[in-house]
Amino acid sequence: MSTEMEEAGATIESRADEVCPVVDAVEQIGSQWRLVVLHDLTEGEKRFNELKRSTEANARTLSRVLDDLRETGFVERRLEEDAPVATYYSLTPKGESLAPVFDEIESWANEWMESCQA
């Protein structure tokens, strides 16, 4: 009986190793606001207030999300110190690499999610 349990445990561990990169990736980009901001920035560099309008996030949430995305290497910030001071955000190469992922998710959603078409 213990051999069966050991085999089952090994199978679960093996499966967890296969799924682990997916889970890790979703944890980095998976929050609602992170996905919205990342997808919005696929259109190009934007100022903070442009992102605030286009994502409809409040300033506190947007600021926190942008900080998180900068920490994880998906977004970079550029400060322009002319009057008035402007802060611009854009995707890093790591962030840009998500564009095909968003395209695939959108294709899948258009095919399988009725709520997207309503």
Side-chain angles (χ1 to χ4, degrees):
M1 187 72 162
S2 66
T3 305
E4 287 178 23
M5 293 176 81
E6 288 173 7
E7 288 177 10
T11 302
I12 291 170
E13 285 178 25
S14 173
R15 184 69 181 136
D17 289 344
E18 292 173 19
V19 174
C20 188
V22 174
V23 172
D24 290 344
V26 169
E27 285 177 356
Q28 280 197 10
I29 64 170
S31 80
Q32 172 191 351
W33 289 114
R34 286 181 188 168
L35 289 171
V36 169
V37 170
L38 287 167
H39 187 264
D40 204 47
L41 286 173
T42 61
E43 298 171 4
E45 182 179 70
K46 292 191 176 186
R47 292 175 71 160
F48 183 87
N49 284 332
E50 290 174 314
L51 279 170
K52 190 174 153 201
R53 275 191 304 276
S54 62
T55 63
E56 298 181 3
N58 66 47
R60 183 177 180 187
T61 298
L62 182 58
S63 180
R64 181 182 47 81
V65 168
L66 287 166
D67 287 344
D68 289 347
L69 290 171
R70 285 180 59 222
E71 260 183 42
T72 53
F74 289 102
V75 170
E76 59 190 5
R77 181 177 77 172
R78 179 173 66 87
L79 191 62
E80 202 168 274
E81 296 189 22
D82 297 335
V85 174
T87 307
Y88 293 87
Y89 294 90
S90 60
L91 295 176
T92 62
K94 181 179 178 179
E96 289 173 352
S97 72
L98 291 170
V101 175
F102 288 127
D103 292 341
E104 287 297 319
I105 292 171
E106 186 175 359
S107 294
W108 180 85
N110 288 334
E111 182 175 346
W112 294 99
M113 305 285 295
E114 290 180 32
S115 62
C116 290
Q117 297 169 0

